[in-house]
């Protein structure tokens, strides 16, 4: 009997120790978790400023997360992108968030351009809302091309695409539709002209205007349609994908180490378990269309040219070479240039002020230039028969190209009458190079243009050259001396397209165009 007790007691003892070890491991782990939570007496506060469209969803996730073990807490603040941008650009601001979640990646670039250079260029998308067209009467059209493309008849509206991501997506779509037209640049301008005269200051205003169609987010449209008493609108999805609202989650460079750890853990929670369906948002789509910044910049320059008021003094070459017939067209260089100018007058904003000179050699006594239209608004010019005066322009029989004297005279005139609050520009249209032996030299012209520069009062020269006789280097040097640009084409038949391209670039100012 005693022998049996001696044989079994070690087994029983080992079993007891094993059970106690398991209990100790479980209890100990719980104790460690409690001790860890207890030790976290000062959790890091991760302040997140988020677009009002996504802030409630973030707050909902934050409320369900137990972050005490990781020693951080999340505080979500709903702010417009403009409010956050201003704070980040203010070097003296002491109230900066650790994380920013704007409604679109577009705002990250805008913030950098506004002075917040340390803001990352991209973030991690945590949700998505496709951009759609809100349509009052579906009979007006079933596709984006029908509704807002070239030749569309619907009464469309838009917010400033530099401030509203949905409107930017619509602008990019219009540009895409116009790319298939015979004259893409002119088609883009023509399609945007009807909506550029009175853009909405805030995207929400579009819902209150008497419009047939306007761009908005799927989330905003669903919210409108669920509002009691609201006129129900139909959503039309883009037939060709456009950039959606992608809600990038960006950890900002001023975040402390503990805040950064907390921000990254909260992001992991959002990506793994966050469901924003009840807030009208979709899950992020890594295959969604990404903004092409070069295309965005070019599109916004076009928009700026349509919406900003300008003062333009233009010079048109009427030298003898402009009488040459352009192959395959049966018409002269002069006729093509006049047609481009006529179309350009129609593309300018009505408030734009325009003056037109012609130049060759000895057109007005010893002067190589002569006024055709005095500087006045496009509205006044059209009312006074300006198009007929432009149509009547003819090239001289044997005149040479007096470019240097004419350019300097026009530049001095434009500098003397430079106007604050307008984009002041000098435009030169020519098919050749300076041929006046009595004029100033190129170095003298460039030197004089340099002396007339004033960074606070920019006055660029936009040089437009057509035909095989154009001296590209000459035009480029003149434009560069003033912070302008030169546009040239070897085929005079392409003058219309190049004129529209120059128009979209010339009517541009910071922050869309960076100062030189």
């Amino acid at each position: 009997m005693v022998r049996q007790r001696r044989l079994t007691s070690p087994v029983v003892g080992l079993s007891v120790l094993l059970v106690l070890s398991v209990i100790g491991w479980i209890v100990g782990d719980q104790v460690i978790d409690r001790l860890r939570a207890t030790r976290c007496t000062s959790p890091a506060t991760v302040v997140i400023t988020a677009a009002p469209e996504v802030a409630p969803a973030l707050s909902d996730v934050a409320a369900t997360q137990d972050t005490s073990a990781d020693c951080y807490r999340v505080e979500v603040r709903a702010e417009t992108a403009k409010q956050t941008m201003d704070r980040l650009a203010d070097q003296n601001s002491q109230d900066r968030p650790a994380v920013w979640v704007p409604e679109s990646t577009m705002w990250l670039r805008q913030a950098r351009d506004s002075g917040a250079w340390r803001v990352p260029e991209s973030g991690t998308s945590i949700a998505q809302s496709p951009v759609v067209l809100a349509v009052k009467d579906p009979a007006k059209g079933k596709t984006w091309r029908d509704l807002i493309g070239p030749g569309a008849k619907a009464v469309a509206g838009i917010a400033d695409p530099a401030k509203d991501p949905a409107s930017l997506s619509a602008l990019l779509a219009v540009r895409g539709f116009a790319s298939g037209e015979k004259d893409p640049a002119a088609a883009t301008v023509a399609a945007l002209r009807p909506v550029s005269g009175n853009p909405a200051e805030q995207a929400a205003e579009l819902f209150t205007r008497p419009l047939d169609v306007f761009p908005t987010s799927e989330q905003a449209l669903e919210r409108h349609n669920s509002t009691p008493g609201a006129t129900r609108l139909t959503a039309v999805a883009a037939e060709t994908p456009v950039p959606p609202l992608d809600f990038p989650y960006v950890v900002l460079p001023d975040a402390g180490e503990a805040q950064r750890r907390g921000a990254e853990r909260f992001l992991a929670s959002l990506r793994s378990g966050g469901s924003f369906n009840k807030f009208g948002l979709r899950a992020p789509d890594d295959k969604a269309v990404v903004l092409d910044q070069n295309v965005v910049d070019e599109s916004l320059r076009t928009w700026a040219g349509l919406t900003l008021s300008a003062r333009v003094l233009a010079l048109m070459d009427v030298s003898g070479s402009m009488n040459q017939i352009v192959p395959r067209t049966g018409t002269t260089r002069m006729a093509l240039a006049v047609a481009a100018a006529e179309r350009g007058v129609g593309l300018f904003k009505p408030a734009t002020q325009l003056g037109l000179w012609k130049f060759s050699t000895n057109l007005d006594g010893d002067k190589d230039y002569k006024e055709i239209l005095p500087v006045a608004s496009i509205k006044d010019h059209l009312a006074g028969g300006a198009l007929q005066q432009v149509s009547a322009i003819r090239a001289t029989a044997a005149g040479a190209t007096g470019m240097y004297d004419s350019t300097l005279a026009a530049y001095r005139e434009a500098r003397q009458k430079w106007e604050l609050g307008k984009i002041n520009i000098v435009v030169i249209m020519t098919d050749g190079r300076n041929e006046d032996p009595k004029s100033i030299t190129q170095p003298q012209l460039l030197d004089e243009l340099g002396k007339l520069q004033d960074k606070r009062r920019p006055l660029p020269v936009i040089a437009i050259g057509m035909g095989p006789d154009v001296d590209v280097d000459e035009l480029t040097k003149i434009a560069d001396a003033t912070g302008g640009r030169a546009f040239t084409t070897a085929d005079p038949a392409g003058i219309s397209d190049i004129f529209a391209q120059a128009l979209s670039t010339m009517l541009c100012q910071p922050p869309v165009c960076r100062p030189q």
Side-chain angles (χ1 to χ4, degrees), residues 36-37 40 43-44 66-73 258 261-262 265 269:
R36 183 187 301 162
C40 183
D66 180 11
T67 60
S68 59
D70 293 318
C71 203
Y72 78 94
R73 55 183 292 273
R261 284 198 304 268
R265 285 169 180 161
S269 298

Side-chain angles (χ1 to χ4, degrees), residues 142-373:
K142 296 182 179 180
T143 68
W144 279 42
R145 178 180 286 276
D146 295 336
L147 293 163
I148 62 173
K153 302 301 182 182
V155 179
I158 195 172
D160 185 347
K163 300 177 181 178
D164 176 46
S167 294
L168 175 60
S169 290
L171 175 63
L172 297 176
V174 169
R175 185 177 183 275
F177 296 144
S179 65
E181 299 294 313
K182 182 178 180 181
D183 191 342
T188 299
V189 173
L192 293 176
R193 171 61 71 196
V195 299
S196 65
N198 186 28
E201 191 65 27
Q202 302 292 334
E205 294 177 22
L206 295 171
F207 286 95
T208 66
R209 293 188 174 187
L211 301 170
D212 294 330
V213 57
F214 59 89
T216 186
S217 69
E218 180 184 70
Q219 181 198 41
L221 183 55
E222 290 180 355
R223 185 168 57 244
H224 166 82
N225 284 340
S226 64
T227 303
T231 301
R232 186 171 182 81
L233 302 172
T234 301
V236 175
E239 57 267 33
T240 301
V242 296
L245 272 60
D246 59 344
F247 301 99
Y249 185 101
V250 178
V251 181
L252 297 171
D254 289 332
E257 184 177 347
Q259 292 174 316
R260 184 173 293 275
R261 284 198 304 268
E264 291 172 350
R265 285 169 180 161
F266 187 62
L267 173 60
S269 298
L270 293 173
R271 294 282 289 182
S272 62
S275 177
F276 294 169
N277 290 343
K278 63 181 177 180
F279 297 97
L281 297 171
R282 301 190 186 190
D285 182 2
D286 295 334
K287 296 182 180 179
V289 177
V290 178
L291 290 171
D292 183 326
Q293 200 55 55
N294 291 330
V295 175
V296 169
D297 289 347
E298 184 176 340
S299 300
L300 289 178
R301 281 196 295 269
T302 301
W303 177 259
L306 290 167
T307 57
L308 297 174
S309 183
R311 188 181 191 280
V312 181
L313 181 54
L315 292 87
M316 181 178 291
D317 188 349
V318 294
S319 59
S321 59
M322 293 290 283
N323 284 316
Q324 292 186 22
I325 300 295
V326 177
R328 302 185 310 279
T329 69
T331 190
T332 65
R333 296 177 181 179
M334 191 76 251
L336 291 174
V338 167
E342 289 176 327
R343 177 175 296 182
V345 170
L347 295 178
F348 278 116
K349 190 176 180 181
T352 293
Q353 292 185 319
L354 173 68
L356 179 61
W357 294 7
K358 62 181 180 180
F359 73 97
S360 179
T361 50
N362 303 319
L363 287 182
D364 185 10
D366 293 336
K367 294 180 180 178
D368 291 343
Y369 48 90
K370 187 173 184 179
E371 181 180 86
I372 298 175
L373 297 176

